[in-house]
Amino acid sequence: MTNWKIYDPQSPPASQKVTLPPAPPWRQPGRDRENVLARTFKPDPALVDAVNTALYLRRPLLLTGRPGTGKSALAHSVAHQLGIGPVIEWAVNSRSTLQEGLYQYDALARLQYIQQANARSGAGAQAEEAEELGMFLTLGPLGTALASAHAPRALLVDEIDKSDVDLPNDLLNVLDTGHFVIPELKRAAERRPTVRISARDDEYIEVQRGEITFKEYPFVVMTSNGERDFPAPFLRRCVQCQIREPDEKELQGIVAAHFASLPLGEDVFAIISEFVKLRSTVMLATDQLLNAVHLLVSSDRPQSEAERKRILGTVFQGLGG
């Protein structure tokens, strides 16, 4: 039997660099991963209704559910289906601010630039300050989604429940008002009314007099693992949807979508059944099931029964909660 282990301390060290086997499709980097997420996501009817409601009403969609239920993948699925991708992603944490989402200003780099320009050109460099200001400004994920010339865009605000208490309402206030101001450009508007600044996806935006006004609302998906309760005024301004865990039949469809060339034989059904049984006692995520199928069934390196049990024990680790 071929040894399935890539790393085996009992074997002699490799005489040359080892070539790793292909990664799971959902673990490919960059756009390939996004395409897999979009193509394989299987929403239930309630989620489809919630997405369409949010699209019609131009309201953010607030998704709650356990980790691994596909909350983030939904944004990629909708963007792919509507042709408004790629998704702009904003991974929120406790230090995230509204300004970070709208734009970033590198004041230190600009100060160094001015000092160097003054040393080269003397007082004449002062005229360059407004002209070169755009070099040190970059639109953040929210700012790009609002200002993009390719609007509407899809914006994924991931784990909004980890944010500072004021950020969710601040974010919705910007969406409601239809514009935002970049003070650094506003102050320089008399000297330089139009400034070109960079955004996500290598896009450049021309900002008029320091203000950005948008006419198309982005499709906003905000995800939450349910770690905190949101106030009623915030919830009122969102379309809410709770993503439930897929049942055994739905899991079979998810596995089939990810492994299109793999027949769903008894070995796959057995892994799915064991996953569902274990999930009733500990928290597990669907991608853990996919990992197990990839390792045990789609791999071209067979394992012994004892190895299969150890692999399942390694992959099916409870997530707490």
Side-chain angles (χ1 to χ4, degrees), residues 2-17:
T2 304
N3 187 358
W4 80 281
K5 298 171 182 169
I6 303 171
Y7 163 70
D8 186 357
Q10 304 302 319
S11 300
S15 57
Q16 59 184 2
K17 181 179 179 181

Side-chain angles (χ1 to χ4, degrees), residues 242-256:
Q242 174 85 26
I243 296 187
R244 61 175 178 80
E245 293 180 317
D247 59 27
E248 188 163 349
K249 184 176 182 180
E250 290 168 332
L251 287 171
Q252 293 173 2
I254 292 171
V255 170

